[in-house]
């Protein structure tokens, strides 16, 4: 082979070597880039794994919290069920002596009328009574007794009727729910709840009576869990009274009288006729928008420590939404009052 051929071959080998060198450099660069990408992916994967572990820990904590909350709710439900049975039994026991007293008032009134009539006959037959009888008439003030005794009997009648109504309301309010829904008169439940809360509605030395405006619609009884629904009514009405009392802070009796405390209860059928609409509205302090977002959450409360558990509205929400497949919403303007709106299916 000639020298020129060797030189040409060497030149080609050098060229091939340069090409391989560049390829090696590119491969090394690609390897470094790939390693960098792998490191980033590995770092990202570790981060995702750490976040997932943290999320898992949070879920476990939340699950434990919910288990404890469920246990507490079950304990509370058992207590409420026991208390409801006790109240129903006590109300039943109250009815017996009250019924006995009420049953005897009618003949007692007749006996009194007969005795007074007999006295009248004696006075007509023997108009000139003895000195002793005249003195006794003055001592016992016979004319006042004659006038006041029927009033006294009527007052006792009103008292026994009041006790009987409260007793019946307590029995209706605390009735135990079965596993199946039963037919229930919404208005009866609302009226019984108002009767139980009457002591908080009547006037006192601080404010006039809270006005109750009933705007009841005409619709048939609803298939529901009456005891639980009564619990919702009690919670909403008690909260409305609390809001009104808070709005009275710093106001005089006459200032409150000029703008009376008022709770309006409106019921009606919704247009589809398959749902009942229940509105409970007050003209109290109202609820701020940020509180409205959280007010149905478990354990959330705006009341001072020891005065609120944060379970009332959350339980009410569960009863309406989960148990009755309805809706519970709130419309409120701070300083202008609140309105709770319930919808539940008729059947």
């Amino acid at each position: 082979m000639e020298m020129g051929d060797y030189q040409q071959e060497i030149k080609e080998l050098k060229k091939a070597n340069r090409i391989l060198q560049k390829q090696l450099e590119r491969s090394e660069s690609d390897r470094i880039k790939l390693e960098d990408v792998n490191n980033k992916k590995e770092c990202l994967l570790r981060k995702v794994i750490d976040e997932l572990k943290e999320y898992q820990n949070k879920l476990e904590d939340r699950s434990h919290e919910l288990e404890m909350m469920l246990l507490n709710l079950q304990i509370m439900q058992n207590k409420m069920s026991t208390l409801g049975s006790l109240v129903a039994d006590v109300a039943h026991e109250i009815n017996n002596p009250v019924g006995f007293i009420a049953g005897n008032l009618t003949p007692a009134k007749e006996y009194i009328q007969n005795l007074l009539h007999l006295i009248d006959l004696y006075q007509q037959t023997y108009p000139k009574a003895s000195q002793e009888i005249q003195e006794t008439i003055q001592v016992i003030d016979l004319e006042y007794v004659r006038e006041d005794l029927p009033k006294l009997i009527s007052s006792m009648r009103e008292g026994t009727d009041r006790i009987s109504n409260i007793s019946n309301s307590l029995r209706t309010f605390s009735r135990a729910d079965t596993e199946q829904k039963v037919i229930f008169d919404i208005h009866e439940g609302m009226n019984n709840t108002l009767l139980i809360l009457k002591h908080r509605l009547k006037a006192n030395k601080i404010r006039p009576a809270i006005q109750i405006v009933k705007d009841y619609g005409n619709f048939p009884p609803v298939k529901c869990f009456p005891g639980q629904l009564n619990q919702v009514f009690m919670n909403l009405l008690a909260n409305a009274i609390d809001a009104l009392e808070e709005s009275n802070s710093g106001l005089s009796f006459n200032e409150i009288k000029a703008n009376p405390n008022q709770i309006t209860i409106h019921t009606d059928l919704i247009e589809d006729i398959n749902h009942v609409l229940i509105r409970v509205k007050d003209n109290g302090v109202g609820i701020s928008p940020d509180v409205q977002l959280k007010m149905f959450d478990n354990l959330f409360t705006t009341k001072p420590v020891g005065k609120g558990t944060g379970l009332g509205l959350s339980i009410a929400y569960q009863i309406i939404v989960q148990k009755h497949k309805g809706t519970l919403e709130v419309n409120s303007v701070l300083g202008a009052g609140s309105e709770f709106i319930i919808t539940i299916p008729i059947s």
Side-chain angles (χ1 to χ4, degrees):
M1 182 178 293
E2 296 181 0
M3 183 62 67
D5 293 334
Y6 280 117
Q7 289 177 346
Q8 181 64 33
E9 187 174 351
I10 289 170
K11 192 182 288 186
E12 290 177 357
L13 286 172
K14 286 181 178 180
K15 182 179 180 182
N17 185 49
R18 285 196 302 272
I19 292 172
L20 286 172
Q21 186 67 30
K22 288 182 180 180
Q23 289 178 343
L24 283 171
E25 290 174 358
R26 282 196 296 270
S27 296
E28 179 65 16
S29 177
D30 291 341
R31 185 190 67 78
I32 293 172
K33 288 181 180 178
L34 183 59
E35 189 174 314
D36 185 50
V37 170
N38 286 336
N39 288 336
K40 288 181 180 179
K41 287 184 177 179
E42 186 178 352
C43 182
L44 181 61
L45 184 60
R46 284 200 197 97
K47 186 178 179 181
V48 170
I49 290 172
D50 290 341
E51 288 178 353
L52 286 173
K53 285 182 178 178
E54 184 181 355
Y55 186 65
Q56 183 181 13
N57 291 334
K58 287 182 179 179
L59 283 178
E60 289 176 355
D61 291 342
R62 181 60 177 165
S63 176
H64 179 69
E65 182 183 338
L66 289 174
E67 286 175 1
M68 293 301 297
M69 192 176 295
L70 179 61
L71 178 62
N72 289 333
L73 288 175
Q74 288 173 341
I75 292 171
M76 183 176 292
Q77 185 177 12
N78 290 335
K79 286 182 178 179
M80 290 297 293
S81 177
T82 304
L83 182 60
S85 299
L86 179 62
V87 168
D89 291 341
V90 170
H92 179 72
E93 289 301 316
I94 289 173
N95 267 349
N96 290 331
V98 169
F100 174 77
I101 294 170
N104 284 314
L105 283 176
T106 299
K109 188 175 182 179
E110 292 178 359
Y111 298 159
I112 290 168
Q113 289 173 342
N114 290 337
L115 288 172
L116 291 175
H117 178 63
L118 181 61
I119 291 173
D120 289 338
L121 288 177
Y122 264 101
Q123 288 179 328
Q124 291 172 11
T125 306
Y126 305 101
K128 193 171 179 78
S130 67
Q131 184 68 27
E132 183 180 0
I133 292 176
Q134 291 179 13
E135 290 176 358
T136 304
I137 288 175
Q138 289 179 355
V139 169
I140 67 172
D141 196 352
L142 181 60
E143 290 304 315
Y144 176 78
V145 171
R146 186 193 302 274
E147 180 184 349
D148 191 58
L149 199 53
K151 294 179 182 178
L152 188 65
I153 295 296
S154 297
S155 178
M156 293 171 66
R157 168 70 71 182
E158 290 177 7
T160 55
D161 288 345
R162 167 78 174 148
I163 294 171
S164 181
N165 289 336
I166 292 174
S167 175
N168 291 332
S169 296
L170 285 172
R171 282 200 297 170
T172 302
F173 179 82
S174 62
R175 62 185 291 181
D177 286 324
T178 61
E179 292 298 320
Q180 301 295 326
K181 293 180 180 178
V182 296
I183 298 298
F184 180 64
D185 185 344
I186 295 289
H187 299 146
E188 180 186 1
M190 189 68 76
N191 290 337
N192 286 329
T193 306
L194 288 169
L195 185 58
I196 293 171
L197 288 170
K198 189 172 182 178
H199 67 287
R200 294 196 62 192
L201 298 170
K202 63 184 181 180
N204 54 43
K205 61 181 181 180
I206 299 173
R207 59 157 177 80
I210 296 174
Q211 298 177 2
I212 300 295
V213 179
K214 298 178 185 178
D215 181 21
Y216 290 169
N218 186 19
F219 50 83
V222 174
K223 204 170 185 181
C224 63
F225 298 102
Q228 296 181 28
L229 210 54
N230 284 336
Q231 187 179 351
V232 173
F233 295 158
M234 175 66 76
N235 184 269
L236 296 185
L237 289 169
N239 281 351
I241 295 171
D242 289 343
L244 291 170
E245 290 180 343
E246 187 177 347
S247 71
N248 293 337
S249 179
L251 299 178
S252 67
F253 189 97
N254 289 332
E255 286 174 328
I256 300 170
K257 188 176 181 180
N259 183 26
N261 295 157
Q262 190 176 87
I263 297 175
T264 302
I265 304 168
H266 171 81
T267 65
D268 206 351
L269 281 179
I270 300 181
E271 291 180 357
D272 64 4
I273 314 181
N274 293 320
H275 289 74
V276 170
L277 175 71
I278 305 165
R279 296 176 180 266
V280 178
K281 184 178 181 181
D282 65 72
N283 60 343
V285 290
I287 307 168
S288 64
D290 58 325
V291 171
Q292 291 182 48
L293 293 174
K294 298 177 287 186
M295 63 190 307
F296 296 122
D297 293 348
N298 286 314
L299 304 180
F300 177 77
T301 180
T302 58
K303 294 180 180 178
V305 176
K307 290 192 175 182
T309 62
L311 293 173
L313 284 176
S314 66
I315 291 177
Y317 187 84
Q318 291 177 33
I319 290 172
I320 297 299
V321 176
Q322 297 178 14
K323 297 289 289 187
H324 289 86
K325 308 302 178 187
T327 62
L328 175 58
E329 300 173 344
V330 60
N331 289 330
S332 183
V333 177
L334 198 59
S338 305
E339 181 180 42
F340 286 87
I341 305 166
I342 299 172
T343 64
I344 55 173
I346 285 185
S347 58

